[in-house]
Amino acid sequence: TSHDGTMATQCFLTDTRIVCANTLRMALSDGRSFIKVKHTRTAESKLDLAKEFFKGALVDLATLQERMRRFSEVTLAEDIYLALVEKMLPAVSTRSENIQSLIKDCYLNDIAVCQQYAGSAYTGTLYNLLNAVTEYVDHKRSVKGTVAVARHTSALIGSGADFKDSALTLLTDYASTVA
């Protein structure tokens, strides 16, 4: 929106991580993730559209909740865990092997945290692995530049975000194949 009221207020809502114009278009392609309200006398009628918009947001939230619930139900045997990590990041170099080791450390640390604070409900699950990948990207992954700024940028809109999106897609695909 503009300060003088000449531009409409726009709101976008999606569970897709926006990393570029392409993912923005993809996230908004369903049409229910966007609302635009001009500053006019008819703005009140536009609020009815806002209600529909937020109903769509609730559907998106329910979809995300269902996905995470499913992740928490899928237990990973060690060979499956290793195969998924290998697919996320093939060990083609010593650096790749070191990164796989860091993800494994995050995974095992997350298991310990789950056992300490939340019982064993998520121990060794897809949810556990997703948290380990997030922990690695957001807190352990090496970055160039000022560490705090570069890490934040990478995790939200850079290569770290891409890595997390790829991992989420891989884990979602795997969850759909498990009975």
Side-chain angles (χ1 to χ4, degrees):
T1 191
S2 64
H3 293 288
D4 64 2
T6 59
M7 293 178 61
T9 300
Q10 299 178 28
C11 183
F12 301 86
L13 186 63
T14 182
D15 67 342
T16 302
R17 179 174 291 139
I18 309 301
V19 296
C20 65
N22 290 334
T23 56
L24 177 61
R25 278 192 304 277
M26 182 178 70
L28 300 176
S29 65
D30 62 9
R32 41 182 194 111
S33 299
F34 170 82
I35 188 163
K36 188 176 190 177
V37 179
K38 291 187 109 186
H39 300 279
T40 66
R41 291 185 307 248
T42 61
E44 188 172 332
S45 65
K46 299 285 186 173
L47 293 176
D48 290 335
L49 293 174
K51 289 178 187 176
E52 293 303 314
F53 169 76
F54 287 109
K55 284 180 186 176
L58 291 174
V59 170
D60 291 345
L61 178 60
T63 301
L64 181 61
Q65 286 176 318
E66 176 58 27
R67 182 184 293 173
M68 294 304 109
R69 183 197 60 74
R70 178 68 181 133
F71 278 22
S72 72
E73 294 173 345
V74 177
T75 304
L76 298 174
E78 186 174 352
D79 61 326
I80 299 297
Y81 156 78
L82 292 172
L84 289 169
V85 171
E86 175 72 20
K87 282 184 182 178
M88 280 183 234
L89 190 75
V92 294
S93 68
T94 304
R95 183 173 183 272
S96 295
E97 291 170 358
N98 289 341
I99 293 170
Q100 285 182 352
S101 178
L102 283 171
I103 291 173
K104 184 175 183 179
D105 290 346
C106 292
Y107 179 75
L108 295 174
N109 182 56
D110 196 47
I111 288 174
V113 169
C114 284
Q115 289 172 334
Q116 183 178 0
Y117 296 106
S120 59
Y122 306 116
T123 302
T125 63
L126 278 177
Y127 185 76
N128 185 188
L129 180 52
L130 179 63
N131 282 325
V133 169
T134 301
E135 169 77 12
Y136 162 71
V137 170
D138 293 354
H139 303 286
K140 309 282 186 208
R141 188 171 186 238
S142 62
V143 292
K144 294 179 182 176
T146 306
V147 174
V149 173
R151 187 176 309 284
H152 179 74
T153 302
S154 175
L156 291 178
I157 60 172
S159 61
D162 293 343
F163 185 77
K164 290 188 289 187
D165 285 343
S166 296
L168 180 61
T169 300
L170 174 69
L171 299 181
T172 300
D173 291 347
Y174 177 75
S176 71
T177 66
V178 179

